[in-house]
Amino acid sequence: MLLLSVKDLCVKIDDKDILDKINLEINEKEVHVIMGKNGTGKTTLGLSLMGHPSYNVSGSISFQGEELINKTPDYRSRKGIFLSMQNPIEIKGVNNSDFYRAILKAHQKSMKVFDFALKYESELEALNMKPDLASRFLNDGFSGGEKKKNEVLQMKFLEPKLIILDEIDSGLDVDALKIVGSNISKLVENGASLIVITHYKRILDYVKVDKVHVIDNKKIVLSGDRSLVEKIDVEGFDGI
């Protein structure tokens, strides 16, 4: 069943064209990969789908049949879209567990204290994260890998329908990559769809891939199956 339909999406920043007539369709439980050289608009696409206010956006973004082009980021989040950012922000003064309870409440998914504590402990273990995380300020002093794992922890609590991963593999060592990859794969098994923005194939070793799209010159210039990732890995973007 069709989950996301993007039609003729154009994005500008300060009258500068970043994306031009992007078209994309994603079905439920599908994994789409967005690749391309630096500066081609991959992150802009993810932020635009999430409703970043700095962008001047036109076209159509339909999610489960509802037009979202003029909807706010928090509205899109409550509808079931989640964006994992390249560089998760640090918020001093807000500890991790309080943040999680707040986002659950905002999404009308509040849990009893005991149930929350059990799930929190279980998910920390699944992600191989330190047990003192609950009392630490959000991402404050976290390593790159801890920040990315903390993003995955949010996904596992919110259970979004569409997850946009913007270079989730950056800052991860081999062991952390395997943990993050396997946890993301389970989210897909449980019904989520993914948009994976990445330069490399290593995170894709742990996630099934349905379609691959290459962005260049503001447009999607090439689409294919997983074999396109392998070709890019060998030949580079210039080679294809």
Side-chain angles (χ1 to χ4, degrees), residues 6-208:
V6 179
K7 294 182 179 179
D8 294 334
L9 181 68
C10 298
V11 182
K12 294 183 177 182
I13 302 177
D14 298 328
D15 294 325
K16 179 182 179 181
D17 293 326
I18 307 298
L19 295 174
D20 182 36
K21 293 186 178 180
I22 298 291
N23 292 282
L24 186 66
E25 287 190 346
I26 299 177
N27 295 316
E28 293 179 351
K29 297 185 71 172
E30 279 190 346
V31 177
H32 286 234
V33 180
I34 307 294
M35 304 186 78
K37 295 180 180 180
N38 288 328
T40 53
K42 301 184 301 299
T43 293
T44 295
L45 176 59
L47 291 172
S48 298
L49 294 177
M50 200 68 229
H52 196 291
S54 294
Y55 298 128
N56 183 357
V57 178
S58 63
S60 173
I61 300 173
S62 177
F63 183 70
Q64 294 187 308
E66 179 182 2
E67 180 57 57
L68 297 182
I69 199 73
N70 293 316
K71 301 296 185 181
T72 60
D74 61 297
Y75 182 89
R76 300 183 198 204
S77 178
R78 288 194 297 271
K79 281 294 179 179
I81 302 177
F82 181 94
L83 171 66
S84 173
M85 297 178 289
Q86 281 190 40
N87 300 299
I89 62 172
E90 301 179 2
I91 304 178
K92 295 182 178 181
V94 177
N95 68 45
N96 231 47
S97 61
D98 286 347
F99 173 76
Y100 277 84
R101 283 193 288 267
I103 62 173
L104 284 171
K105 184 178 180 180
H107 287 76
Q108 298 181 333
K109 295 183 178 182
S110 297
M111 301 172 64
K112 294 180 179 179
V113 175
F114 182 72
D115 293 335
F116 175 84
L118 284 179
K119 181 173 177 59
Y120 198 91
E121 182 179 353
S122 173
E123 299 298 2
L124 285 183
E125 184 175 349
L127 287 163
N128 195 27
M129 299 180 78
K130 297 176 181 178
D132 68 347
L133 184 74
S135 60
R136 294 170 64 184
F137 293 152
L138 181 65
N139 292 324
D140 183 36
F142 284 26
S143 67
E146 286 177 320
K147 288 181 178 180
K148 296 304 176 73
K149 286 183 178 180
N150 210 25
E151 295 284 284
V152 178
L153 185 60
Q154 290 181 52
M155 301 173 209
K156 299 186 80 172
F157 267 97
L158 292 178
E159 298 178 332
K161 301 179 184 72
L162 175 65
I163 300 169
I164 306 167
L165 303 173
D166 191 0
E167 297 191 22
I168 190 71
D169 47 355
S170 65
L172 298 180
D173 59 29
V174 174
D175 293 330
L177 183 69
K178 183 176 181 179
I179 292 169
V180 167
S182 62
N183 276 270
I184 290 172
S185 183
K186 287 178 182 177
L187 288 166
V188 177
E189 291 173 7
N190 292 334
S193 296
L194 295 185
I195 296 176
V196 184
I197 299 169
T198 185
H199 289 287
Y200 310 107
K201 72 168 190 173
R202 57 181 195 159
I203 188 65
L204 306 177
D205 291 338
Y206 305 97
V207 182
K208 78 176 185 75

